[in-house]
Amino acid sequence: MMKKLFALLLVAVLALSAFGGLAEGVVNVYNWEDYIDEEVIALFEKETGIKVNYMRFTLNEDMMVQVRTSPTAFDVVFPSDYAIERMIAEDLIQPIDYSKVPNAGNILEWLMSPDYDKEHKFSIPYMWGTVGILYDTTKVAEPVDSWGALFDEQYKGEVFMLDSPRDALGVALKYLGYSVNSKDPVELKAATDLLIDQKNKGIVKAYQVDETKDKMVKGEAALAVVWSGDAQYAINLNPNLAYVVPKEGSNVWVDGMVIPKQAPNYDNALQFIDFLCRPDIAAMNTQYIEYSSPNAKAIELIGEEYTSNTNLNPSQETIDNCEFFHDNYDVKQLYDTFWGMVKNAK
Ligand code: N2P
């Protein structure tokens, strides 16, 4: 008898979840590795009762493959500018209902009308930053101010490169005086040759992404190409480290929050996005991951500690010397081929 009752109960619960009764209590979040204060997730779950199913990726390129092949798997995704541009073009994401995201009003003016998503119809900025060099002041001859240090043979075996086609090729393009958005095969070939030469000379210790920050804290290399927040995170743990956006210029980027077209929990996605835009939450999150915040009220809450730090709050001059990436899908094959040549070089 008891067994029968239990079985009936189980069927009822399963039926309820199949009809969406329980499914309403979930939000499927797909964000970069090491890119949130986990306490933020716990607070959201506690306040809303919505369970966060949190998944992570390392590069925009990997994330886009997942969203294309599993269009119903995610409710909130965090692509960078050029990836947002691509996802709009491929009709992978849907407009944001701003009436349900009141805290979006806290976003800084200069980030509100970007080229990649005019009027922010599809995306709300999450964090932003630069690409630069994190270096160990005890291991370099003089203060680093140029990408040239990465190609200098005195740093043989002492350089971590970003294992990311756009970032690595972007660095080489910038050093050669070209745009990070170059589509010119001659310029791209020159950038590729520079990276292959750097590798052949044994200057590169490793190509990696998320591992770099902790390895730099431990003093495992002299120089590393990193995103600004990872630099600040490492500097907090090792005061011998410093970060520079090289004088030749670099890439400045914004990661946004978007909702895939077939997201199963649209309203929960909006609630999660709004929560991340709440000033106290955005402040707490930025202070934990050490990336630049697009949230004016959060910055006010943090105050001097944020505004006086040029890694978090670069000067207008530094920003103006940097370029945003743009969607380069029409030359993706070219980038993939050249990046393959770098990675396969012996
Ligand atoms: C942090 C991810 C940074 C994202 N691990 C850079 N766009």
Side-chain angles (χ1 to χ4, degrees), residues 25-30 36 38 40-46 48-55 268 272 275:
V26 175
V27 63
N28 300 298
V29 176
Y30 196 31
I36 198 163
E38 307 255 331
V40 166
I41 300 175
L43 279 173
F44 176 78
E45 289 184 328
K46 205 166 140 214
T48 63
I50 297 169
K51 157 110 186 58
V52 178
N53 180 19
Y54 196 81
M55 295 159 276
N268 291 353
F272 189 72
F275 191 73

Side-chain angles (χ1 to χ4, degrees), residues 32-35 58 60 80 210 213 227 230 253 255 291:
W32 299 72
E33 285 286 349
D34 302 334
Y35 211 27
T58 298
N60 281 303
S80 302
D210 302 304
K213 50 187 176 315
W227 296 308
D230 286 11
W253 49 265
D255 294 333
Y291 276 90

